[in-house]
Amino acid sequence: MKLTAGGRRLAVAALVQSLGIGLFMASSMAYFTRQVDLSANQVASGLALAGIVALGISLLGGVLADRYGARRVLAAVYTGRGLCCAAYVFVTGFWQFMVVTLCAVACDRAGPPVLQALVAVAVPERQERTRLLAVVNVVRNCGLGAGALAAGVALASDTQTAYRITLVAIGLAFLGGAVLVLRVPELAAPVAGAGSDGAGEKPAAGRVLPDGRYLTLTALNFLLFFFDTMLLVAMPVWILEHTDAPRVTVSVLFALNTALVVVLQIPVSRLATGQRRTTRMLTWTGAVLGVSSLCFAASGSVAGGPAVAWLATAVVLLTLAEVIANAAVWDLSIALAPPEQRGRYLSVFNLSVAGQRVLGPVMVTGLLLGAGTLGWVVAAAVLVVAGGAAERVARAAGERTPPVVPADA
């Protein structure tokens, strides 16, 4: 697809900062444990605690975007992340690590909804902004992989100097992303209005929280985003502890997921055309995730090649659900949010994603995997119901959303 100048800058900014994230993800644990002398438990607990606290703090990003503009706030978020990475060079103990990590995670959580808000004002055409977000997601995946590979230099050297140079490079990557974001033009925000008969819900400006349907859709998206936890937590634990598949299957299936996202995300995003088709994609998401769950369940009852085949099928279906869900929620979360409070609405909606990443591992280890095959069957049923319910809620919310006209109309 052909991108506007602003779209190209956003895509390059996403690539640059994802290179930094990939570098950090691959090298940070080794740096903290081998050079800062923190234990693995300290690092893990610090990240978990920072993630929980940052859930609330990240909502400020949307409020600030509505007040000061998404472009400036997103540039500030990227700058904050860059400064945090540089600050890790001076960390010498656990509490210093906690302070810097809390700031870094808060910036990380605030970024995605502010990026969506910026795309909404930089690309006024609904289908084109969904495709731009698909491009951003693809280049982000590529950047993460490239960054992880580049981190091998620091890991091979395993010296404090190498790790610190890597951290500074990560900080510069985020600052470069901030500079690119500042060059993205913000068009005049659309306004709700004209054509509305006043019979809908009360104006969004009078609300502190999004309307009930938007909040319900947010809660249902928490369940549909389960594909992330299935891939990162449930899949490797299930393979290693409940199947006869070789251990290397875990890394192969992770690579398969990444490759399929890169290949499928942009084509699938083109399916998000029109309110009815886009909302229907939520039902598809639940149904495909349900079948994927049943394939995981089947892999535990066979051995050798058949187990690997069931697992591969499960991951292919899970990835298909991922790209369908991404395209649908990118479109709907923006379209159903009032323009004057879009940043706040998107920040609340993003809690479904951030919340899944905090609570999802607990749900997987405590409920799904603990119940074995039955856990997967129950998960399949829940996901199918959640998809159908999300479609109905989104369609009802769309019917009550007032028409939007350009501000200069």
Side-chain angles (χ1 to χ4, degrees), residues 13 15 22-23 80 85 94-95 107 110 117 158 204 290 292 299 303 341 346 372 380 387 403:
L15 176 62
L23 277 167
C85 286
F94 177 73
W95 290 110
C107 289
D158 197 27
S292 175
S299 68
Q341 285 195 317
L346 290 170

Side-chain angles (χ1 to χ4, degrees), residues 136-149:
V136 167
N137 190 47
V138 168
V139 300
R140 182 183 291 123
N141 275 275
C142 294
L144 288 173
L149 289 174

Side-chain angles (χ1 to χ4, degrees), residues 17-392:
Q17 59 96 24
S18 64
L19 284 168
I21 295 174
L23 277 167
F24 185 79
M25 290 172 61
S27 62
S28 58
M29 181 62 79
Y31 173 71
F32 293 133
T33 57
R34 297 178 66 83
Q35 304 299 328
V36 185
D37 291 328
L38 299 177
S39 69
N41 285 335
Q42 284 180 311
V43 176
S45 61
L47 290 171
L49 180 58
I52 294 172
V53 175
L55 284 177
I57 298 176
S58 64
L59 293 175
L60 291 175
V63 175
L64 294 174
D66 290 333
R67 177 171 295 184
Y68 300 109
R71 177 177 57 191
R72 283 185 286 181
V73 174
L74 186 60
V77 166
Y78 285 175
T79 301
R81 294 174 75 176
L83 293 176
C84 286
C85 286
Y88 276 126
V89 171
F90 304 100
V91 167
T92 58
F94 177 73
W95 290 110
Q96 292 174 328
F97 166 75
M98 276 301 308
V99 171
V100 177
T101 298
L102 177 58
C103 295
V105 174
C107 289
D108 179 70
R109 297 290 187 268
V114 178
L115 171 61
Q116 282 187 271
L118 178 56
V119 169
V121 294
V123 184
E125 205 282 316
R126 182 170 174 175
Q127 294 178 23
E128 290 305 314
R129 68 193 181 205
T130 301
R131 292 171 189 168
L132 172 57
L133 287 167
V135 171
V136 167
N137 190 47
V138 168
V139 300
R140 182 183 291 123
N141 275 275
C142 294
L144 288 173
L149 289 174
V153 177
L155 292 170
S157 299
D158 197 27
T159 63
Q160 189 173 73
T161 299
Y163 286 118
R164 288 182 170 179
I165 290 174
T166 300
L167 287 169
V168 172
I170 295 167
L172 292 175
F174 282 119
L175 293 178
V179 171
L180 288 167
V181 164
L182 287 174
R183 299 185 61 197
V184 176
E186 284 184 302
L187 305 179
V191 296
S196 177
D197 59 6
E201 302 184 26
K202 68 178 182 178
R207 293 197 188 100
V208 176
L209 292 174
D211 61 84
R213 285 184 174 83
Y214 200 90
L215 288 175
T216 302
L217 186 61
T218 299
L220 291 169
N221 189 61
F222 172 84
L223 295 174
L224 294 180
F225 201 80
F226 194 61
F227 64 77
D228 190 65
T229 311
M230 285 172 65
L231 177 72
L232 298 178
V233 181
M235 186 266 287
V237 175
W238 180 258
I239 290 175
L240 296 176
E241 297 185 4
H242 297 271
T243 75
D244 189 49
R247 292 179 179 272
V248 71
T249 305
V250 174
S251 58
V252 171
L253 293 182
F254 273 128
L256 176 63
N257 168 262
T258 301
L260 288 176
V261 169
V262 171
V263 172
L264 295 177
Q265 186 65 81
I266 294 175
V268 170
S269 71
R270 298 191 181 103
L271 298 177
T273 56
Q275 187 75 8
R276 180 173 293 273
R277 174 178 285 186
T278 305
T279 55
R280 178 58 57 85
M281 292 171 73
L282 297 174
T283 295
W284 298 348
T285 298
V288 176
L289 280 176
V291 178
S292 175
S293 298
L294 296 178
C295 290
F296 275 118
S299 68
S301 59
V302 292
V308 174
W310 279 115
L311 290 166
T313 303
V315 170
V316 169
L317 291 171
L318 183 152
T319 307
L320 180 59
E322 176 182 350
V323 295
I324 293 173
N326 283 340
V329 300
W330 288 335
D331 178 270
L332 293 169
S333 60
I334 294 175
L336 299 178
E340 65 274 15
Q341 285 195 317
R342 185 177 281 134
R344 182 177 299 178
Y345 269 57
L346 290 170
S347 290
V348 171
F349 190 84
N350 192 62
L351 288 179
S352 61
V353 177
Q356 178 61 238
R357 287 173 175 160
V358 172
L359 300 176
V362 178
M363 296 168 61
V364 163
T365 55
L367 298 175
L368 191 154
L369 296 178
T373 300
L374 178 61
W376 285 112
V377 174
V378 173
V382 171
L383 292 167
V384 170
V385 172
E391 178 186 350
R392 294 188 180 185

